[in-house]
Amino acid sequence: PSKKSLHGRRKRYVLNVSNTVYNIEQKTDHFLKCQHEQRQEINQEYSHQFLALVVMSNIDVDKIKKQAEKLSNLQAINSCRQKAVVEEARKQMDILERKLTIE
């Protein structure tokens, strides 16, 4: 083989290797870009779901606080009613005791 044909083969080989490396780099870049976009979409969806969960959690906490406040108010009302009933019963017993001692 002549030097000219060897030089031509070598040149084609280098060109083929360069094209192959370029194609691999392009495919790798495309793959990484797609992966990056998918990660961003997944992250955005996760963030959206997490935000919705936080909002719902805050709503639930507010509902619980309101229910606890209502329960506390009911307990206070019941306590006042019980005191009033006990006080009324004492008055009635005092009246009855006075009547009995008078007779």
Side-chain angles (χ1 to χ4, degrees), residues 11-62:
K11 199 172 186 180
R12 281 192 303 274
Y13 176 76
V14 168
L15 185 61
N16 284 338
V17 168
S18 293
N19 285 337
T20 302
V21 168
Y22 177 78
N23 288 336
I24 290 171
E25 286 175 347
Q26 292 292 13
K27 288 179 181 179
T28 303
D29 287 345
H30 178 72
F31 174 77
L32 292 175
K33 182 181 175 185
C34 289
Q35 250 192 350
H36 178 71
E37 289 171 358
Q38 288 174 345
R39 278 195 307 271
Q40 281 184 322
E41 288 174 12
I42 290 170
N43 189 32
Q44 187 175 12
E45 179 63 26
Y46 170 79
S47 296
H48 177 71
Q49 289 178 359
F50 185 76
L51 180 61
L53 180 65
V54 168
V55 168
M56 293 304 294
S57 175
N58 287 339
I59 290 170
D60 289 345
V61 166
D62 288 343

